[in-house]
Amino acid sequence: MVQIVVTGGAGFVGSFVVDELVEQGHRVRVIDALDPAAHDGPPPYANAAAEYLWADLNTAPANPGWFDGADAICHQAAKVGLGEDFSDVLDYTTANDQATASLLWALHRQDFRGRLVLASSMVVYGEGRYACTVHGQVRPHPRNPISLDAGRFEPPCPHCGRALEARPVTEDAPTDPRNVYAATKLHQEHLCTVFGRELSVPVTALRYHNVYGPRMPRDTPYAGVASVFRSACEAGRAAQVFEDGLQRRDFVHVRDVAHANVLALTAPEPTGGAFNIASGTPHTVGEMAVALQAAFGAAPRSQITGRYRLGDVRHVFAAVDRARRELGFAASVGFAEGMAEFATAALRRPPAGPGRTPCRVGEAGAGRIPRAGEAVPS
């Protein structure tokens, strides 16, 4: 049995990590700010066998005592999704960059010598991997609004303009973040890597691809495309598919992502570096919309809008060989099975109204979640 701290452990992926760790008999402490953009209080699925500390990592700075006795840290806390526009930049850098720096400062003060597992993302790659029949492997230029407005969504070869073939992206691909969220995720990796080198702490960065499943947030600008489509289907509306619906992604179930974290946290020997966490089988965004509508029993009627977001990328899907070889990870939930479950799974609704102020240690409401049978604080 080891002691593991999970930041963001009341959230989408983090809560499933907590469940699996508890099931394996580990002692788990959760640190979560209960961000009012995502929570209106302790979630009903919070695992009563874990210890919960409703606290913000940005508490000027984090308290080193929160990590006392920890053998491993699982850093899930982050603001996710592409968001609305560049006006989100302060929120993203505070929630992701500054909070990670605060966490690492506290671990440094605590002289932490365990292992650190970071929730990263495939967005650090920018566009995926492409090959030209003449020039071989190439990196497309940033997306051109003129081409996108004309409905030309496929990136051309930057040298000759020929059509490109999209291929699975490997962990050694150059990083090229193309929106604010992506830039903060890459900076999280950089901060953790520097921390690991200076303190000889093994750091594992798990680059999640498109995660979906129960407890996913819904009806916010920061929800993933699977959640947005699910909400449309549930309301009897056609899913609004951007571009031409042919952009390829790797949709991976949240339980598989949680299991990858548990493998990295509990393996006999830590494995450092970056790993793609994905199913290994890409699908188009349009295929996902059709699968969800079929699961709802409705005739496929997704609407191809031709709209786009400049910060999006065209194709990015994963090579998963390294995760299989070094972590022993392989996704177990298939696309059809996962989408059928997701169609009726309980999702997390955003708070009504302006939401609550995040609890901080020392304020009313801060502390652990009650065990079974105890009263829940308001």
Side-chain angles (χ1 to χ4, degrees), residues 71 80 119 146 178 242 285:
D71 300 296
V80 301
I146 296 175
R178 298 198 173 186
F242 279 20
V285 172

Side-chain angles (χ1 to χ4, degrees), residues 56-127:
D56 190 341
L57 289 173
N58 279 316
T59 303
N63 185 338
W66 298 346
F67 309 98
D68 188 32
D71 300 296
I73 308 295
C74 183
H75 185 31
Q76 301 290 325
K79 187 177 186 67
V80 301
L82 187 57
E84 295 182 316
D85 53 38
F86 198 82
S87 65
D88 288 325
V89 64
L90 292 179
D91 289 339
Y92 274 107
T93 53
T94 299
N96 297 354
D97 298 343
Q98 183 174 311
T100 299
S102 179
L103 165 69
L104 298 176
W105 177 90
L107 294 177
H108 180 263
R109 289 294 299 269
Q110 191 71 341
D111 197 29
F112 175 74
R113 288 295 187 272
R115 66 181 76 176
L116 173 61
V117 176
L118 170 68
S120 186
S121 172
M122 55 85 174
V123 296
V124 302
Y125 298 120
E127 284 285 357

